[in-house]
Amino acid sequence: MVDQDFLNILACPETKKPLKEADAGLVEKVNAAIKDGKAVSRNGQKVTASIESGLVVEEGGAYLYSVREGIPVMIIDE
């Protein structure tokens, strides 16, 4: 989980839109895709590490930014 004050200042590095925490169902779905070998990053690399949580754009976010040890990974290609 990301601190709410920190989350309030974060924005998608590509669209600059505000982010929100991904709900548990989405995180579960992403982790299932990772386990099945079906998850790929935006640069086409296979994702092998499960995520603890993630951030998505508040309005129709198509991409998920993973959160590792409470720190958002805001790299577009990851």
Side-chain angles (χ1 to χ4, degrees), residues 38-61:
K38 296 178 181 175
V40 294
S41 66
R42 292 173 65 185
N43 67 2
Q45 298 292 318
K46 185 180 275 192
V47 178
T48 58
S50 63
I51 62 169
E52 61 185 66
S53 64
L55 302 176
V56 294
V57 175
E58 285 186 359
E59 298 174 17

Side-chain angles (χ1 to χ4, degrees), residues 3-60:
D3 178 74
Q4 187 60 47
D5 289 334
F6 185 45
L7 184 59
N8 289 340
I9 63 171
L10 290 177
C12 173
E14 184 172 6
T15 67
K16 311 302 186 232
K17 291 184 179 182
L19 297 169
K20 66 178 181 178
E21 293 236 25
D23 64 50
L26 177 58
V27 171
E28 186 176 306
K29 191 177 191 179
V30 169
N31 280 328
I34 292 169
K35 183 179 178 183
D36 292 342
K38 296 178 181 175
V40 294
S41 66
R42 292 173 65 185
N43 67 2
Q45 298 292 318
K46 185 180 275 192
V47 178
T48 58
S50 63
I51 62 169
E52 61 185 66
S53 64
L55 302 176
V56 294
V57 175
E58 285 186 359
E59 298 174 17

